[in-house]
Amino acid sequence: MFPSVYLVLLTVLSLVVFLICLWYLYLIKCMWPLRKVPGPKPLPIIGCSYLFPNVKSMLSSFTNMTQKYGPICKMMIGLEPSLLISDYETLEAILRSSELIEKSKSYRHFYNWLGFGLLTSGGSKWRARRKLLTPSYHFKILDGFLPVFDSVSSTLVKELEKEVGKDSVDIYPYITLCTLDIICETAMGVSVNALVNQDSEYVQAVKGMCNVIMEKVFSPLQHHNTTFKYTQNFLKEKQLLKILNDYTMNVVKLRRTEMILNDNVSDGQKYDDNKKTAFLDLLLQTRINDEPLSDDDLREEVQTFMFEGHDTTASAISFALYSIANHPKIQQEIAFELYNIFNDDQRMATLKDLNDMKYLELVIKETLRLYPSVPFFGRETQRSIQIGKLKVPKNFTLIIFAMGIQRDPRFYDEPLKFKPERFLNDGSDKCKMPYSFIPFSAGHRNCIGQKFAMLEMKATLSKILRNFILFPSKPNDKVFLISETILKSLNGIKIRLEKRNSLLHSQFVHNDRTLSIIMSLAGFCILIPAIIFVVIVYYYYRYHNITKSMKNVRGPMPLPLLGNAMEFKSRNTILQRFSELFQEHGKLVKVFLAFKPILLVADYKAMEAVLGSNKVLNKSTFYDFLHNWLGFGLLTSSGSKWKQRRRILTPAYHFQILEQFVPIFSRVSDILINEFKKETRKDAVDVYPYITLSTLDVICETAMGVTVNAQRDKHSAYVQSVKEMGRIVIDRSFNPHEQFDFLYQFTKNYRTEKKCLGILHGHTNAVINNRRAELAKNQTNEVETDQFGTKKRIAFLDLLLKCTDENGQPLSDSDIREEVDTFMFEGHDTTASGISFALYEIANNPDVQKKILEEQNDIFAGENREITYSDLNQMKYLEMVIKETLRLYPSVPFYGRETMTELKLNDDVTVPPGVTITLVAYEIQRDPKYFPEPNKFIPDRFLPENNLGKTPYSFVPFSAGPRNCIGQKFAFLEMKMTLSKMVRNFELLPTVPAHKLDLTSETILKSDNGIIIKIKERK
C-alpha cells in the first residue's frame, strides 16, 4: 500500500516539476528578447498574478510598478507575457501603427457578451465595421440625441433633489443609471427607466457582467474555458448573458418588425433632423452587399455601444462633479459661462449651446486626464515587431497605461492638481504631445464615440450645474481609485448638493452662515465711512508732500481719490491729452492717477538725467500689470536680477546669431507678399492686421523655433490672446479701480486675462518642454542638423536652454518662460507698428519710395534672389526711412521708470522717491527745437552730416542708456527685410480720398481707424 502512495506522490511531484520546467522554458522563450527591460519577478505557473490579489488592487499595482521599474516594464500574467507601457515614444509607435490594431487576449472574455463587434474584432472585420459605423456618428445624428440627453438629465435632477441638504451623497450610482437610460434610448430606442427603476433585471445584469469580466481578466484559473466552467462566475455569466441577450434580441426583432410593417424608411430620411433615430435603426437600414445585417451582427454592435458608452461616460461625469465640487473658483467660472449661454432659462441645450461650452469642455478634458474612464487598455502583437527601441515578440500583450502617462510630470506641470487651463493650448497644437492625453485611445483604433460622449457629458453636467451648487462632502471623502472595466472609487464619489436659485448666485452662501454674514455686513457698513475718511486724509497728505517736493512743476488740479484719472477717459485720447498738457504746463507735468504721483517728461535735460542714470533703472509700477504674463523677465525685472539677465542675454543678439534669422525673415515676408497680392485690386487695404500676423510668425519661429502660421490662421487663440493682453495692460494703467488687485478680480478684464494667460503660458510651456526633450535626446550630437543634414538654426529658446546663471546652474522653466514671453511681447507688435507706419509714409511720399527703389535696384541689379545679411546692411537709405518713421511714430510712445531715491532733474526740480517718471518719446521726437518741421516726413534728417548725435536723447524710440532695447538690431533687420520685399513687389499709393491716421496708444502705437493705403503690383 505504502509503495503505491509513494508512487502517486512521486508521480505528482514529477509532474509539478515538469510543468515548472516547461513554464520556465516558455518564460525564457517569451522574455529573452526583452531581457533588458525591468519588471517584477514572476512565480512559476501564476507569473505575476500574485501582485493582483483582486481587481481592486490592480490600478495601484500598475502605478507602483511604473514608479519602481520605469515607464516600460515586463511581466507574466499566468501564461501571458505582457508589457506595461507609459513611455511616450513607445505609445506613439503603438497607437500610430496600422499593424498593431489587434486587441489583447483579455478582450476575449468579452466574446460571450459582445461577440465580435467593433470593440473586440480585429483585422478585416474590424476595418469593415469601422467603415460601416462611422456615419452613425455624423453630427446630424448626434443632434437628434439631444432631446434624450435633456429628458434623462431632467429626470436625474428630480432624483438628486431628494439628496439636497444631506452632508454627503454618493453621486456615482445616480450618474451610472442616468447614462444607462441615455445609452438604452439612443442605442435601442427603448426606455429602461433605470433612474426610477434601479432594481431592473437588465440594469443589474449589465453591472454583473462588468464585474465577472474583470475577475476573469486577473484570475489565471478563469482564463481558460476548461477551468472557467468549474467556477461560480461561469454559472453567473450564463444567467446574466441570457438576460442581456434576450432583452437585446427582443428589441432587435421588435424594431425590425416595425420597420417592415411600416415600410416608411427611405434613404432620404436617414438624416431627417426632425426624426429621432436610434443607433439600432441606423444598423437596421445598413446593407452589406445588398444584404441586411444579421440579428447576431446587430446584437454585437448594439451591446458594444451599450457597454462602451455606459459606465465610461458615468465615470467621467461623476469625477467631473467631484472635481467641480472641490474647486469653487472653477465652478464659478462654469456658472458664469452657462449664464452667458442660458441666462437662468431652463430650456433644452441645443447643439450650438453645447459647442459654446468651451470652459466646461476644458474641465471635462482635465477630468479625463486625472481620471481616465479606461485607465489602461491592451493590444497584442501578431508577429515579432519593432516598437520604438523594443523588439517585441509575437503574441505579447501591450498594456497601454493611459493614467500613467496622463499623470507624468514630464508632460503635465503639477500633474495631481486640477487645472483645466492647461488645455487652453489652442495656439500650440503643433507643439503638443498628443499621445500624452489618450482617454479615448488614439490613432486608428481611437474611440469612435468620443463626440457622442462629449455632448452627453456637457448636457448632463450643464443641467446639474444649472440646478445645483456643488460642495465637498462632510467630512470631505477623498476618492480611492480602483479599476474594474472602468475607473471607479472604492469608497464612492461623494459630494454635497444645494439647490441653485440663479447661476449668478454665490456658491459660498450657506444657510447655516446667514446670520454671521449679516452681522459681518453690518460691521462692514459701519467701517465704510471710517475707511473712506482715512483714505481721503492719506490722499491729501501724499498729494501735499509730492506737490511740496516738486513745487516748480505744474499740472492740472486732481480730484479727491481719482486724481487726474478723468483726464484720460480713453486710451484713444491719451497721446492727444499728453500733448495738450505739455502745451498748457510746460515740458514737465505732474499728474495723479488715484494715489500714484506721475511726472510726465518731454524735456531734453530731464530725459538725459533719467535715461543716462544708473540709479533710475526700475520700471514704473504700471509694469506690474505685466507680471502675470511676463513674470520678472528682462523688461519687468530690476536690480541685480535685471543686471544678471541682461548679461546672460546679450550674447543672444550677437550678429552671428541674428544672421541665422535672416532666412526666417525672408520666408515669412514671402508669405506676407502672397497675402497682399490678393489685395491689389482693392482701392484700400489696412496693412496693420497683415503686418502684425507676419511679425508674430517671425517672433514665434525665432524665439521658440516653432511655426504658428498666424498669417494663415488669423483667428488662432494665441494670436487673439496676445492682442487682448496688450489692451488689458493699458486699461489697467488708466483705470483707478483696476490698479488694485482686490478690485481688479471682480472685473471682466480679470476673467479675460485669466483665459488669455492660460493660452499664452500653455503655449510657451508646451514648446519649452518639447524643445528641452529634443535637446536632451540630441545632447550627444555636437551639431544638431535637420532631416537633410543641414545645420539647424538656433532659436532664442535654444540659447536660453543652454544658458547658466552665475552659479553655473541652468535656468528654470519659469525663468525661460519669462524671457521667451518677454521676447514675444517686445518683438511682436512693436515691429509691426514700425513697419505699418513706414508703409503708410512711403505710400504718401513718392519721392521717398523712388529713392528706396533705386537703392534696392543698386543692391540686387534686377536679380530675384534671396536677401542676405550683407544686403540688409547695405540698405542705408531704407534705414533712414525706418528711423524717420520711428521718430514720427515711436512704437512705444511713452514708457516709465520709478524713483527709488531722490533724483535731481535740473536746478529747479528734484523728484522724491516713489514717483513714476513717464518719458514721452512721442512728444520730444516732435519737438521743433530738435527736429525742424517736425510733422514732415524727412528721412534725410538722419544723414550723418546732420549730426543728430549732438542730442541723442531727443530720439529715443528704443529708449536709451543702460536699459535701452536689447533687440533693436533684430528689429531693424526684420523691418528692412519686410519693407524691401514690399517695395520691390508693390507700388505703394495713398488712398483717394487720403486716409488720415487717428493715433492711439495701447501697449504700442496704433491707428484707431487703421493704417490704410493702396497696393499695386509691380510688373
Side-chain angles (χ1 to χ4, degrees), residues 519-532:
M519 296 281 288
S520 299
L521 287 173
F524 183 70
C525 291
I526 294 169
L527 283 173
I528 286 175
I531 292 170
I532 291 174

Side-chain angles (χ1 to χ4, degrees), residues 743-882:
L743 297 174
Y744 177 58
Q745 65 183 328
F746 298 106
T747 66
K748 183 180 179 181
N749 273 345
Y750 173 77
R751 293 190 294 272
T752 304
E753 178 183 304
K754 193 176 177 184
K755 290 180 181 177
C756 290
L757 290 179
I759 295 169
L760 295 170
H761 288 167
H763 175 88
T764 310
N765 286 335
V767 175
I768 290 171
N769 291 336
N770 191 31
R771 191 63 190 138
R772 194 187 285 282
E774 286 181 12
L775 289 175
K777 184 179 177 182
N778 296 315
Q779 64 184 347
T780 56
N781 299 332
E782 290 185 10
V783 178
E784 192 176 353
T785 59
D786 62 19
Q787 60 181 325
F788 303 107
T790 306
K791 185 177 178 181
K792 200 169 183 179
R793 285 187 294 272
I794 299 176
F796 180 67
L797 171 59
D798 298 332
L799 296 169
L800 292 174
L801 287 166
K802 296 172 182 177
C803 280
T804 56
D805 62 19
E806 57 192 8
N807 298 317
Q809 295 299 312
L811 298 180
S812 68
D813 282 357
S814 61
D815 290 334
I816 292 171
R817 193 191 73 199
E818 287 173 353
E819 298 306 340
V820 170
D821 282 345
T822 296
F823 188 73
M824 295 285 296
F825 167 72
E826 288 196 278
H828 161 222
D829 262 0
T830 50
T831 317
S833 172
I835 294 171
S836 301
F837 284 117
L839 291 171
Y840 174 81
E841 287 297 342
I842 293 169
N844 285 275
N845 292 275
D847 56 327
V848 171
Q849 185 169 181
K850 183 180 178 183
K851 288 182 180 179
I852 296 172
L853 192 59
E854 287 173 356
E855 180 180 68
Q856 297 296 308
N857 290 335
D858 287 344
I859 294 171
F860 297 101
E863 292 182 33
N864 186 21
R865 60 175 174 79
E866 286 298 322
I867 299 177
T868 66
Y869 181 73
S870 175
D871 295 332
L872 295 175
N873 285 332
Q874 291 180 57
M875 298 177 187
K876 302 299 182 183
Y877 185 75
L878 183 57
E879 185 170 319
M880 290 193 294
V881 170
I882 293 170

Side-chain angles (χ1 to χ4, degrees), residues 250-266:
N250 285 337
V251 174
V252 168
K253 289 174 182 176
L254 179 64
R255 298 293 278 193
R256 192 191 288 280
T257 302
E258 285 177 359
M259 291 185 70
I260 293 171
L261 290 174
N262 294 327
D263 194 24
N264 63 352
V265 177
S266 65

Side-chain angles (χ1 to χ4, degrees), residues 610-612 895 897 952-953 955-965 968:
V610 175
L611 295 175
Y895 38 89
R897 299 285 173 85
Y953 294 98
F955 179 67
V956 284
F958 295 101
S959 187
R963 285 205 77 148
N964 70 335
C965 175
Q968 53 189 292

Side-chain angles (χ1 to χ4, degrees), residues 121-138:
S121 60
S124 58
K125 181 171 184 179
W126 171 79
R127 290 187 176 89
R129 287 290 173 91
R130 179 81 180 203
K131 183 178 180 182
L132 190 72
L133 296 175
T134 296
S136 301
Y137 295 90
H138 190 278

